[in-house]
């Protein structure tokens, strides 16, 4: 089984587009897929649209009654899927704002089948890129990844902050078993969750690699929910917490 996790906050416009693209990209894969949408206290029609989509596509809808942020949403969603999945299943995470194109998953899934525990869809590998980002956001992403690369080197990995990833389910299950509620210690710092998950899997000795993808920020409806100063603080906090810790 292939599980797709979508953390959703006010994504009434992007959600149906992404689900239809996901179905097109995955319907010819040998494994069946299931989408898990966690509505994080949206104030628009995200939840109603998710339930409508579930009548046509294999979707499970979960909810937070109030907005708890991306960090807590990732914890709750990954914990839910880890409890359901078989060890040899795959788990995909990506943003719900239509900036991550599902067509890039084919190569990532091949890497999982070759024995990798985590495959990152990377903007910085040959063939990858970014469209629609301001110069400021591009520089912020590169500096954040450089900081994290220096603090937590992983051979072959360049994109530490992108949440578009494929996990072996067994790897997530091992992480929850090992770290428990401390698997993600900084949920209050939002988008730092992607970097913290990568650091924790590095501590477990996971096999990690990347495949290229093009971030389509020009397709995003609405404004970014990423608070720049909060995320900068979060990355430095992450370095302070885990610098020098190469094993769990």
């Amino acid at each position: 089984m292939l599980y797709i996790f979508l953390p959703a906050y006010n994504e009434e416009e992007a959600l149906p587009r992404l689900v239809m693209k996901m179905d097109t990209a995955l319907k010819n894969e040998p494994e069946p897929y299931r989408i898990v949408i966690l509505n994080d206290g949206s104030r628009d029609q995200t939840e109603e649209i998710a339930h409508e989509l579930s009548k046509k596509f294999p979707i499970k809808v979960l909810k937070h009654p109030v907005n708890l942020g991306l960090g807590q949403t990732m914890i709750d969603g990954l914990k839910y899927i880890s409890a359901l999945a078989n060890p040899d299943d795959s788990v995909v995470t990506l943003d719900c704002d239509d900036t991550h194109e599902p067509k890039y998953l084919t190569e990532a899934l091949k890497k999982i089948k070759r024995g990798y525990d985590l495959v990152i869809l990377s903007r910085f590998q040959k063939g990858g890129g970014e469209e629609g980002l301001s110069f400021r956001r591009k520089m912020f992403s590169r500096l954040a990844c450089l900081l994290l690369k220096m603090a937590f080197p992983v051979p072959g990995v360049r994109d530490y902050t992108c949440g578009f990833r494929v996990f072996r389910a067994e790897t997530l299950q091992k992480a929850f078993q090992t770290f428990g509620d401390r698997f993600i210690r900084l949920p209050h710092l939002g988008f730092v969750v992607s970097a913290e998950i990568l650091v924790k899997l590095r501590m477990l000795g996971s096999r990690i690699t990347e495949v290229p993808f093009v971030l389509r920020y020009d397709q995003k409806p609405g404004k970014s929910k990423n608070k720049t100063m909060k995320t900068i603080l979060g990355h430095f906090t992450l370095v302070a917490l885990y610098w020098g810790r190469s094993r769990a």
Side-chain angles (χ1 to χ4, degrees):
M1 177 69 74
L2 180 59
Y3 289 94
I4 318 296
F5 177 55
L6 300 179
Y9 177 58
N10 293 343
E11 297 292 0
E12 62 182 5
E13 185 177 344
L15 181 59
R17 298 202 310 247
L18 178 58
V19 168
M20 287 185 282
K21 288 179 183 179
M22 191 67 68
D23 182 69
T24 298
L26 298 179
K27 63 185 176 183
N28 293 324
E29 289 291 325
E31 296 176 285
Y33 76 87
R34 184 168 184 81
I35 298 174
V36 177
I37 299 170
L38 177 42
N39 174 37
D40 185 31
S42 294
R43 293 171 294 182
D44 62 3
Q45 299 298 306
T46 294
E47 185 171 354
E48 291 83 354
I49 289 171
H51 282 294
E52 283 299 311
L53 289 167
S54 71
K55 297 175 183 177
K56 182 177 179 181
F57 301 100
I59 291 174
K60 172 68 176 179
V61 182
L62 308 175
K63 68 180 293 184
H64 287 155
V66 297
N67 179 249
L68 298 180
L70 179 62
Q72 190 61 50
T73 302
M74 289 295 293
I75 293 173
D76 294 341
L78 292 179
K79 187 178 291 186
Y80 174 84
I81 292 173
S82 294
L84 284 180
N86 293 319
D88 59 348
D89 289 339
S90 299
V91 181
V92 176
T93 62
L94 71 161
D95 291 351
C96 197
D97 58 4
D98 196 32
T99 60
H100 295 167
E101 289 285 340
K103 66 182 181 181
Y104 293 103
L105 285 172
T106 300
E107 291 303 313
L109 291 169
K110 289 178 182 177
K111 293 277 189 179
I112 291 290
K113 290 180 172 62
R114 291 174 192 161
Y116 286 96
D117 301 306
L118 167 61
V119 182
I120 300 168
L121 283 292
S122 173
R123 298 162 287 174
F124 307 134
Q125 291 292 336
K126 183 178 180 180
E130 300 162 308
E131 295 186 14
L133 276 181
S134 66
F135 177 78
R136 176 174 170 271
R137 284 194 175 275
K138 286 183 179 180
M139 289 301 100
F140 169 67
S141 294
R142 282 158 176 76
L143 290 173
C145 288
L146 178 61
L147 169 68
L148 296 166
K149 178 75 172 176
M150 292 172 61
F152 312 109
V154 180
V157 171
R158 300 176 62 188
D159 200 335
Y160 279 65
T161 61
C162 183
F164 195 6
R165 297 171 174 178
V166 184
F167 301 83
R168 187 180 303 280
E170 182 179 22
T171 301
L172 289 173
Q173 291 164 346
K174 181 179 179 182
F176 279 112
Q177 290 165 4
T178 302
F179 297 108
D181 291 338
R182 295 169 73 83
F183 178 26
I184 298 171
R185 291 179 61 187
L186 304 172
H188 57 292
L189 293 176
F191 285 80
V192 179
V193 65
S194 294
E196 184 172 6
I197 289 172
L198 177 56
V199 169
K200 290 294 181 59
L201 295 191
R202 174 182 179 266
M203 291 168 64
L204 291 176
S206 302
R207 293 188 65 199
I208 304 171
T209 191
E210 291 186 335
V211 297
F213 96 108
V214 177
L215 175 69
R216 293 297 307 273
Y217 209 76
D218 56 324
Q219 297 177 170
K220 178 180 177 65
K223 297 180 180 179
S224 173
K225 303 176 182 72
N226 190 347
K227 306 299 183 184
T228 301
M229 292 309 299
K230 181 178 180 179
T231 305
I232 291 172
L233 170 64
H235 287 144
F236 280 103
T237 303
L238 187 67
V239 171
L241 277 175
Y242 295 109
W243 181 282
R245 294 182 60 180
S246 60
R247 290 290 180 267

